[in-house]
Amino acid sequence: MIHFLIVGLGNPGTRYKDTRHNIGFRILDSFAESAGYIWSENKKYSESVKVLSDCKVHLLKPLEYMNLSGKAVQSITQLFKIPPENILVVQDEVDLPFGKIKNKIGGGTAGHNGLKDIVAKIGSSDFHRLRFGVGKPEKGGMEVADFVLQRFTTEEEKELPRLIQDSKIKVEEWIKTNLSLILRKSG
């Protein structure tokens, strides 16, 4: 059985629920709801698994703070022997303007503490990323760390349902494309 892991990054608790840094949680929650996943929780992470035709797709929301995201990812990847190339991390990205959504494989972490911890814990940066642009603070304004903990503006919130839908489609496409590639290689 092929295992895929899709990780949504965010911070736990209602205080951070609608912040820029939690867009990974919001996208994964929306994806889970529309695809019929049911979350189970423990103290360190929230998880759901669904069996598709030739694979199991694991959804994961680390429930420790962003900079400790790697512990939960490491736990699931070791348990199910999931290689980095079968992992998709859904994250906020300050280096992209608000609403720009891009896929990326591997590379650096660009200072993102959640990604840094995942790389440190699994020993590889060769996983896939769905980067959701949240914009940057204006020059001379607040620090990036403070900016990502802010809520989206009212105008941005109006656009989020469409952008979250676009992101969910990209997650679905990622699963189909990677499953097809793996089946072709093994067949």
Side-chain angles (χ1 to χ4, degrees):
M1 180 67 62
I2 299 164
H3 292 264
F4 290 114
L5 174 62
I6 304 171
V7 181
L9 293 184
N11 282 310
T14 55
R15 175 179 175 197
Y16 300 104
K17 185 175 182 273
D18 295 323
T19 65
R20 294 171 187 276
H21 225 16
N22 274 38
I23 193 66
F25 277 10
R26 287 176 78 174
I27 292 168
L28 210 58
D29 282 338
S30 183
F31 176 81
E33 183 180 329
S34 64
Y37 284 81
I38 298 171
W39 293 107
S40 65
E41 291 188 21
N42 66 36
K43 290 182 182 180
K44 298 190 187 263
Y45 56 85
S46 185
E47 173 194 21
S48 185
V49 181
K50 190 168 185 182
V51 178
L52 302 177
S53 58
D54 294 304
C55 66
K56 280 188 180 179
V57 179
H58 303 259
L59 302 185
L60 178 72
K61 294 189 302 183
L63 296 179
E64 295 189 81
Y65 287 100
M66 180 71 75
N67 60 343
L68 300 174
S69 297
K71 289 180 186 179
V73 174
Q74 179 185 40
S75 174
I76 299 296
T77 57
Q78 287 178 346
L79 181 64
F80 297 104
K81 298 177 178 39
I82 302 172
E85 61 270 14
N86 289 11
I87 301 170
L88 173 66
V89 176
V90 182
Q91 63 165 101
D92 60 299
E93 179 60 66
V94 295
D95 289 331
L96 292 175
F98 171 77
K100 182 88 169 164
I101 305 164
K102 289 184 113 181
N103 287 42
K104 177 181 178 181
I105 303 171
T109 62
H112 193 292
N113 290 329
L115 294 178
K116 283 183 191 177
D117 197 53
I118 292 170
V119 169
K121 296 294 188 298
I122 69 169
S124 175
S125 65
D126 295 335
F127 51 88
H128 298 246
R129 297 120 197 245
L130 179 69
R131 302 163 61 218
F132 187 99
V134 295
K136 276 187 179 176
E138 293 182 22
K139 290 195 190 278
M142 70 175 69
E143 295 292 319
V144 170
D146 295 326
F147 178 75
V148 295
L149 294 177
Q150 300 295 309
R151 291 176 177 263
F152 289 97
T153 67
T154 304
E155 295 78 32
E156 291 169 337
E157 273 295 335
K158 288 177 186 172
E159 292 185 56
L160 278 178
R162 177 185 57 81
L163 295 169
I164 289 172
Q165 180 64 29
D166 292 348
S167 299
K168 288 177 2 185
I169 291 167
K170 287 187 177 286
V171 169
E172 290 166 2
E173 289 170 352
W174 180 84
I175 295 168
K176 289 177 189 169
T177 300
N178 285 285
L179 179 59
S180 176
L181 288 172
I182 290 169
L183 292 175
R184 241 184 283 134
K185 284 181 187 177
S186 66

